[in-house]
Amino acid sequence: LSEEETLIKIRNNIKSGIPSSKKIYLTSTRHPTKWDFPSLLEDIASSQYGIKQDKFIAGMAAWSKKAIDKKRTVAEKIVGWSAVASAANGLNPIPGLDVSVDAGVLINMVSQINKIYGLTEEQLAYIEKTTPGIIGTPEYAGLKQGILKLIAKYAATEGIILILKRMGAKVAVKNISKYIPIIGQIISAGIGYSMTLSFGESYLDEVEDKANALLDELVAAA
């Protein structure tokens, strides 16, 4: 029997034993990107609401393009919350202190986004364990190196401080504006919000590209 005929035969066999079944999912932990596992995850996510849905989407494996798209929605909320935190920090009355606080906000944001898309050292190790055929390919080796560099780049305060320095003009205006009563703090808060939002959206694009590339490698190795 061909693969398609085998799947049909298994489905029909299950239906004969459970006539009331609405939907049958055929999955394999050895091949998580194949058959119905991605669809199962998507349907579980769709059955949840509110915070439960966001948590499930954030934690589920990115085994399909649809899953990655759903993760974007949750990750954008993380960026939005982080931008609000930076704005609140812009109201901080102590000049100079807010840059270090902004760095902490960005590091936390980056860490959460990496976990959502499955781009951490632990998650890469799990992928290699479940899909050993991927390890020997030069495409995966290059992709993994790029992902690890990205993780290292923004995992430490030094990397984030470099980003803030590149946004030097805005950072300078933000700090100087703190000396202007009331209006200055509002300006500073607005700049903090826009800086974090801009960086977050840019980082999401980069991480999503790597998540899609990783999925392509997993599908090819399945």
Side-chain angles (χ1 to χ4, degrees):
L1 297 176
S2 67
E3 180 178 301
E4 184 178 357
E5 289 171 331
T6 302
L7 293 172
I8 291 173
K9 188 172 183 178
I10 295 172
R11 288 183 193 280
N12 289 338
N13 181 268
I14 294 173
K15 285 180 180 178
S16 67
I18 313 175
S20 61
S21 61
K22 294 182 180 179
K23 192 168 183 179
I24 296 167
Y25 301 90
L26 301 182
T27 70
S28 169
T29 54
R30 294 180 181 178
H31 306 284
T33 60
K34 297 180 69 175
W35 306 310
D36 300 325
F37 189 56
S39 177
L40 173 60
L41 292 179
E42 291 160 18
D43 287 349
I44 293 175
S46 297
S47 72
Q48 305 297 312
Y49 298 93
I51 295 175
K52 284 186 178 181
Q53 185 180 64
D54 287 348
K55 285 187 175 181
F56 183 83
I57 292 173
M60 73 178 184
W63 297 132
S64 70
K65 299 291 184 182
K66 286 185 179 179
I68 292 175
D69 289 341
K70 286 180 180 292
K71 285 176 176 294
R72 175 83 186 210
T73 302
V74 176
E76 285 176 343
K77 292 181 182 180
I78 300 295
V79 172
W81 296 333
S82 300
V84 170
S86 290
N89 181 46
L91 299 175
N92 178 2
I94 306 175
L97 177 63
D98 64 322
V99 173
S100 61
V101 177
D102 281 342
V105 169
L106 293 180
I107 288 173
N108 182 59
M109 179 182 73
V110 165
S111 175
Q112 289 187 66
I113 291 173
N114 290 343
K115 288 179 182 178
I116 288 174
Y117 282 94
L119 303 181
T120 67
E121 292 187 43
E122 293 79 11
Q123 288 164 311
L124 289 176
Y126 176 76
I127 286 173
E128 291 172 4
K129 181 180 178 180
T130 55
T131 316
I134 200 175
I135 298 175
T137 65
E139 292 81 7
Y140 174 71
L143 179 60
K144 180 181 179 180
Q145 186 178 19
I147 292 172
L148 292 178
K149 282 184 178 179
L150 183 68
I151 294 172
K153 184 178 180 181
Y154 301 123
T157 304
E158 291 77 11
I160 296 297
I161 291 295
L162 283 175
I163 295 171
L164 294 175
K165 285 182 178 179
R166 287 176 195 153
M167 301 177 178
K170 287 187 177 180
V171 173
V173 172
K174 180 180 177 182
N175 284 326
I176 293 172
S177 66
K178 285 185 174 291
Y179 292 97
I180 307 173
I182 303 176
I183 295 178
Q185 290 183 347
I186 293 174
I187 294 172
S188 181
I191 293 174
Y193 180 89
S194 64
M195 283 171 57
T196 302
L197 191 65
S198 177
F199 168 71
E201 290 175 347
S202 176
Y203 188 75
L204 275 182
D205 290 338
E206 188 172 1
V207 169
E208 192 172 82
D209 286 343
K210 282 185 167 43
N212 277 305
L214 181 58
L215 176 61
D216 290 340
E217 292 301 316
L218 286 168
V219 171

